[in-house]
Every structure is written in C-alpha cells, then in structure tokens.
Amino acid sequence: MAALGCLLAYLLVHEFVAAERPRYWVRLILIWAIILLTVFASSAKLTLLRRENGPASYSHDGGVIQTEATIDYLLQGRNPYTEDYLATPMAEWGINEFRTALYHYPYLPWTFLFSAPFRLLATERSVGMTSVSST
C-alpha cells in the first residue's frame, strides 16, 4: 500500500512540480522508496514471518530449506549428496507426493559452499544475541 502511495506521489510530482531540479530529486527519492518497499521490506517481512513460524513456512520453494540443512550437514563433516533429508524441516515442506528431494540434494556445490560462511555468521550472531539477552 505504501509503495502505491509513493507511485501516486511520483505521478503527482511529475504533473504539479514545475521546477526541474526539485522535481528530479523528489522523484528520485520516491523511486528509491518504491524499490525499498517492494523488494527489501517484503523480503524482511517474509524473513521475520519465517523465523516466527518455523523453517518450513514462507519460503518460495524447498531448495531454500534444503540448502540450510545441507550447510548443516557440511558443517558436521557429512556429505550432503549422500545424506537423506527425512529428519530436516524439508520433510514438512510441500506436497507429500512430490517430496523427491528428501532423498537427494539436487543442486550444484556452489549453492551451499557459497552460503556456508553466511550461515556461520548468522548462527554466531544469533547465539551471541541470545547469550547477551540472557545475562
């Protein structure tokens, strides 16, 4: 709704602000506001909803959930390509008849190797925040 308000403001500024320089800057700010609201704010909202409701919710496909489990396997020293995913949140996602990815990891290694350092940082940060809040 806010993004539509920014779009309406953008159109009104284009029509009713005569001076070129202020019109340019106001429109630029409104474009950035639209981008932030439609891309980043919605992503943050879905991330927070997923954190609150569990890993099998609010993800567009099972690959996101499975990659997180794959990184956990990697950090445990296990081969993600030989493991099954029956005991992971991936087992809760999707439709039962189509959960073939529970028995294999279908993506190339770069997917989880690139993401592993970010998972480590996120895990360390959340553990650090938990220990700070519990003291």
Side-chain angles (χ1 to χ4, degrees), residues 32-47:
W32 276 107
I34 292 168
I35 291 169
L36 290 172
L37 289 167
T38 57
V39 176
F40 297 107
S42 61
S43 297
K45 177 184 174 185
L46 290 174
T47 300

Side-chain angles (χ1 to χ4, degrees), residues 53-66:
N53 294 306
S57 60
Y58 296 102
S59 64
H60 67 287
D61 68 16
V64 174
I65 301 164
Q66 192 175 25

Side-chain angles (χ1 to χ4, degrees), residues 66 80-85 100-107:
Q66 192 175 25
Y81 291 107
T82 60
E83 300 293 331
D84 67 47
Y85 293 82
T100 58
L102 288 175
Y103 305 102
H104 69 283
Y105 185 70
Y107 303 106

